[in-house]
Amino acid sequence: MTGLVYKSTGSWYTVKSEQGDFIECRMKGKFRMKGIKSTNPIAVGDIVDYELEETSDAVTGTIFNIHERKNYIVRKSVNLSHQMHIIASNIDRVFLLITINNPPTTFNFIDRFLVTAEAYNIETILVFNKIDTFDEPTLEDQLYMQYVYQQIGYKCLRVSSTEMKGIDELKEMMIGKVSMFSGHSGVGKSTLVNAMEPSLHLKTKTISEASKQGQHTTTFAEMYDLSFNAKIIDTPGIKGFGIVDMEKEEISGYFPEFFRLKDQCKFNNCLHKEEPHCAIKAALERDEIAWSRYNSYLKILEGDEENYRTDTYDEDRKISDETRNQK
Ligand SMILES: Nc1nc2c(ncn2[C@@H]2O[C@H](COP(=O)(O)OP(=O)(O)OP(=O)(O)O)[C@@H](O)[C@H]2O)c(=O)[nH]1
Ligand SMILES: [Mg+2]
Ligand SMILES: [Zn+2]
């Protein structure tokens, strides 16, 4: 039998059968997917083959095969730096939820996320949430951030999950698709799912006053069927976003605005650092590429892990202010 994985808790997987029943399944023995080394062999969104096992008091399943994944989104596993964690697979669209300061989302974090999504060929839409809370400076920061990403070609939405603003436009983009919500803890992913489908009553929690960070309320990725012919995967908040091993030369290919200019660099193996006649550096000087993007690029190139800290955010804000002042 074939089904779709809706939830994974590590040892048990909730699979929806083609008939629409939910079956709790385990994985057969120690089989591993070929190719990728991940801490979780089966992820939400996987299509699996399973057989039923009936005992006197329950019907469970045993998964013995995973169908080839159309795509998947991964992050480096926190503890095992060479292993990956598959957040979800077979996704049509990712909506990256961003809040400006409650909790703060940095340019660097967004760029790391986008690079990974570009590498795995998954369309990402930026959703600025909590617009109802903005004061004048926050609004300016948000509009600037949106400007940076719209210039590159990323679609941006502005929503308030608590005041139901922008929800219809978002729904429209989800019809007939499997979407995933991602972003830091506390940005309002589960609240947004509830806004679209109040009957789900997903657990949400206020962010900590002291640290201005979310409290990791959602602990497992889970898929939900929505009443307007859409599927959504709500995920736990992510902290740092380690980029999965990439060749240095490959990285700028995942910055679309760099990629468009690459051919104009003098050297075809240009890393856009100190090389002469670099089209990316020239565009940067002309303010056609945002400094925040270039800084993220350099950080990824250097391979340092992003640690999600508020001081990184201040650094990024400074960069955005500097960039703005140059205009
Ligand atoms: N004012 C306002 N508050 C919001 C909005 N969206 C979410 N919140 C609040 O933000 C807090 C965190 O929301 P959650 O939905 O739990 O956040 P999450 O992204 O699911 O967090 P994790 O599950 O920890 O990853 C809650 O107190 C929500 O009520 C919004 O648009 N406006
Ligand atoms: Mg949540
Ligand atoms: Zn160059």
Side-chain angles (χ1 to χ4, degrees):
M1 268 165 289
T2 301
L4 179 59
V5 177
Y6 271 58
K7 188 179 185 181
S8 148
T9 56
S11 47
W12 286 95
Y13 304 95
T14 308
V15 175
K16 190 178 183 185
S17 74
E18 283 169 340
Q19 292 71 42
D21 309 313
F22 288 97
I23 299 134
E24 293 300 309
C25 295
R26 281 183 187 274
M27 197 175 78
K28 188 170 186 173
K30 271 198 163 129
F31 86 89
R32 289 278 179 270
M33 275 295 279
K34 285 176 232 116
I36 43 169
K37 246 181 155 184
S38 70
T39 50
N40 56 333
I42 301 173
V44 174
D46 278 343
I47 299 164
V48 294
D49 295 323
Y50 64 96
E51 53 200 21
L52 288 180
E53 281 182 12
E54 283 183 54
T55 57
S56 53
D57 49 51
V59 179
T60 59
T62 309
I63 296 169
F64 60 89
N65 183 40
I66 308 174
H67 292 211
E68 197 182 332
R69 295 177 175 124
K70 178 174 84 177
N71 60 29
Y72 48 89
I73 194 138
V74 294
R75 60 173 174 76
K76 262 190 190 162
S77 176
V78 184
N79 303 318
L80 304 151
S81 62
H82 293 297
Q83 289 234 21
M84 305 197 281
H85 179 86
I86 305 170
I87 302 174
S89 70
N90 301 320
I91 314 150
D92 295 314
R93 275 182 176 163
V94 173
F95 293 88
L96 180 63
L97 267 74
I98 298 165
T99 49
I100 302 301
N101 53 15
N102 247 331
T105 305
T106 66
F107 280 100
N108 193 232
F109 173 80
I110 297 171
D111 295 335
R112 280 173 180 268
F113 190 93
L114 291 177
V115 163
T116 306
E118 291 285 346
Y120 288 87
N121 220 347
I122 301 172
E123 187 192 2
T124 307
I125 291 122
L126 305 187
V127 180
F128 294 92
N129 190 28
K130 308 198 186 182
I131 57 167
D132 59 289
T133 65
F134 291 175
D135 58 13
E136 203 50 48
T138 316
L139 175 66
E140 260 186 45
D141 282 350
Q142 188 272 313
L143 290 176
Y144 174 70
M145 215 177 218
Q146 180 167 344
Y147 166 80
V148 166
Y149 292 101
Q150 265 172 350
Q151 286 290 101
I152 302 163
Y154 290 107
K155 184 148 179 58
C156 297
L157 294 176
R158 302 174 78 246
V159 305
S160 165
S161 310
T162 47
E163 302 201 348
M164 298 298 286
K165 290 200 181 105
I167 308 294
D168 287 340
E169 198 183 346
L170 177 64
K171 277 185 171 176
E172 198 71 41
M173 297 182 73
M174 293 172 58
I175 293 172
K177 295 194 156 48
V178 178
S179 304
M180 176 178 125
F181 285 169
S182 196
H184 287 311
S185 176
V187 294
K189 299 177 291 296
S190 304
T191 308
L192 187 52
V193 177
N194 285 337
M196 291 186 292
E197 203 72 55
S199 62
L200 285 174
H201 297 295
L202 301 190
K203 200 170 147 198
T204 66
K205 212 191 257 175
T206 54
I207 67 163
S208 148
E209 265 305 312
S211 68
K212 296 274 182 246
Q213 314 237 335
Q215 311 206 45
H216 294 278
T217 312
T218 305
T219 44
F220 294 105
E222 183 163 0
M223 189 180 314
Y224 300 95
D225 292 322
L226 304 176
S227 56
F228 51 93
N229 181 29
K231 289 187 194 317
I232 184 68
I233 303 172
D234 186 21
T235 62
I238 39 176
K239 278 190 154 197
F241 205 78
I243 297 285
V244 173
D245 309 318
M246 279 178 194
E247 300 298 329
K248 280 189 185 320
E249 294 74 27
E250 203 185 337
I251 298 167
S252 65
Y254 303 128
F255 283 74
E257 77 277 40
F258 292 21
F259 182 75
R260 287 192 281 265
L261 293 170
K262 264 172 80 152
D263 288 348
Q264 296 169 33
C265 292
K266 183 173 179 188
F267 300 105
N268 60 13
N269 60 350
C270 187
L271 287 177
H272 325 302
K273 285 170 77 181
E274 308 299 334
E275 296 90 340
H277 302 291
C278 168
I280 277 91
K281 293 288 284 277
L284 194 60
E285 297 305 330
R286 290 195 306 268
D287 270 335
E288 288 165 16
I289 284 179
W291 281 91
S292 62
R293 293 278 290 170
Y294 186 67
N295 281 317
S296 296
Y297 168 72
L298 291 182
K299 280 188 190 165
I300 295 171
L301 202 62
E302 286 157 14
D304 56 335
E305 298 283 317
E306 188 221 24
N307 290 309
Y308 175 56
R309 300 183 314 246
T310 36
D311 55 353
T312 327
Y313 174 64
D314 289 340
E315 211 176 277
D316 276 344
R317 274 178 80 123
K318 220 173 69 210
I319 293 160
S320 87
D321 287 345
E322 278 165 13
T323 318
R324 223 179 357 221
N325 293 339
Q326 284 168 358
K327 291 200 185 296

